[in-house]
Amino acid sequence: MQLYHHPYSMNSQKVRLALEEKGIDYTSYHVNPLTGKNMDASFFRMNPSGKLPVFQNGAHVIFQTIDIILYIDRLTVSLTGEDTPISSEVMAWIQKIEGWNPKMFTLSHVPKKYRSFVSKFIRRVIISRMAEAPDLASMYHTKLREAYDKEEKLKDPEIVKQSEEKLSRLLDDAELQLDQTKYLVGDEFTLADAMFVPILVRITLLDLEEEYITCRPKMEEYYKLVKRRPSYEVVIGKYFRGWRKYRTHLKTLCFLSVRSMFRRY
């Protein structure tokens, strides 16, 4: 089994937490979307959406996060023989969490000069790959339109506001639930938590903890609790501790700067 992912990809974190919690072995392949690696023809043929993560088990390829999560659950049943299907409560939380798209929220809190620099580089990568793989041109055109549409949406403060409000409602619902239970669904860590924790990590990465986490006491307590789990350390902790939090970003910016300077896309 192979997982194509990136440590800072929120959906990748969701899937990796689920895999670690379930004790499933897999081969890890890093794909950095900020450098356009997810647009390489070989990856794009496997996953025309170009999104991360991608889970492959033999000839079976899955690239929708919620589908991978559900597949992991079925795989666990197959490997262990335990017939413990996902409860309706866990499924309800998974769908609720998946209902919030972090893209606009994240990009709106990234300095515009960095956001524009990366966006311009990615558009040039797509155009370059289109020339290298003309048979995939129509799919690359779709990704190019998506890139331009995303920039237009970021200019609309109402769209950004809606994303922030939806996140606040999700966190408020979680705060109410955590006032009654240790984790999102009872006293055991479930796939619902694997889906939810990366949202808190993204908020932390954007330095917005005070606004969204610490103002919710049960959420703050919950966050401290999950940080002590071995799965958190493997998937998130070792990449976000101290100077390592900035290492990947610095390496990526240096890579983009050099490639842009020499027009190597």
Side-chain angles (χ1 to χ4, degrees):
M1 288 178 281
Q2 297 85 39
L3 182 70
Y4 300 84
H5 68 97
H6 190 268
Y8 282 63
S9 158
M10 203 167 88
N11 285 337
S12 294
Q13 291 168 356
K14 293 174 181 179
V15 169
R16 291 193 68 214
L17 281 172
L19 287 166
E20 293 295 332
E21 287 287 339
K22 296 293 187 180
I24 297 175
D25 292 329
Y26 61 95
T27 303
S28 170
Y29 295 100
H30 282 197
V31 179
N32 192 339
L34 295 181
T35 61
K37 286 297 181 182
N38 57 323
M39 294 298 163
D40 287 355
S42 58
F43 186 84
F44 212 60
R45 291 182 197 281
M46 177 174 62
N47 172 21
S49 75
K51 296 178 180 179
L52 295 176
V54 175
F55 186 78
Q56 184 174 15
N57 187 8
H60 199 41
V61 178
I62 317 173
F63 46 84
Q64 294 292 340
T65 302
I66 195 166
D67 291 339
I68 298 174
I69 293 290
L70 296 177
Y71 183 81
I72 290 170
D73 184 67
R74 294 195 298 272
L75 191 61
T76 305
V77 172
S78 175
L79 292 173
T80 64
E82 297 178 6
D83 189 10
T84 53
I86 296 179
S87 70
S88 57
E89 292 87 355
V90 170
M91 197 64 218
W93 271 107
I94 287 176
Q95 292 173 337
K96 182 183 291 188
I97 294 163
E98 191 70 359
W100 177 66
N101 187 336
K103 183 65 72 176
M104 291 297 109
F105 176 81
T106 299
L107 292 175
S108 67
H109 288 92
V110 173
K112 186 177 179 181
K113 64 177 181 178
Y114 297 123
R115 189 178 74 219
S116 299
F117 176 58
V118 173
S119 179
K120 185 177 181 180
F121 182 88
I122 294 300
R123 292 198 300 270
R124 287 177 172 174
V125 167
I126 294 173
I127 293 170
S128 177
R129 298 297 175 273
M130 198 183 303
E132 294 171 2
D135 59 308
L136 299 174
S138 61
M139 290 186 287
Y140 279 124
H141 269 297
T142 299
K143 295 304 295 184
L144 198 57
R145 283 197 303 271
E146 288 177 3
Y148 281 112
D149 288 346
K150 182 172 59 183
E151 289 300 316
E152 286 301 312
K153 287 179 180 179
L154 282 167
K155 296 176 184 178
D156 187 344
E158 188 59 33
I159 291 177
V160 174
K161 181 183 176 182
Q162 288 173 4
S163 179
E164 293 173 340
E165 290 176 345
K166 193 164 187 177
L167 171 61
S168 292
R169 289 194 297 271
L170 174 61
L171 295 177
D172 286 341
D173 289 345
E175 179 73 7
L176 289 173
Q177 180 61 44
L178 292 170
D179 189 40
Q180 303 174 44
T181 55
K182 185 177 179 180
Y183 293 103
L184 283 181
V185 184
D187 293 329
E188 299 292 331
F189 190 98
T190 67
L191 291 175
D193 299 289
M195 291 283 290
F196 184 69
V197 170
I199 293 177
L200 305 183
V201 175
R202 177 58 55 88
I203 291 170
T204 301
L205 186 63
L206 295 171
D207 292 323
L208 296 170
E209 279 190 271
E210 287 189 11
E211 185 176 348
Y212 289 97
I213 298 176
T214 57
C215 60
R216 296 175 171 87
K218 293 298 180 181
M219 184 80 61
E220 185 178 23
E221 183 180 327
Y222 166 84
Y223 197 20
K224 290 177 181 177
L225 177 66
V226 297
K227 283 181 178 179
R228 296 197 291 268
R229 298 186 71 83
S231 62
Y232 181 94
E233 176 59 25
V234 171
V235 176
I236 297 162
K238 69 178 183 180
Y239 297 103
F240 283 74
R241 189 178 299 107
W243 63 274
R244 295 182 182 182
K245 177 180 177 181
Y246 306 100
R247 184 179 66 174
T248 299
H249 286 292
L250 289 173
K251 286 176 63 178
T252 299
L253 285 175
C254 287
F255 177 92
L256 297 184
S257 297
V258 172
R259 286 300 183 97
S260 295
M261 184 184 303
F262 292 101
R263 299 183 182 279
R264 296 288 299 276
Y265 307 110

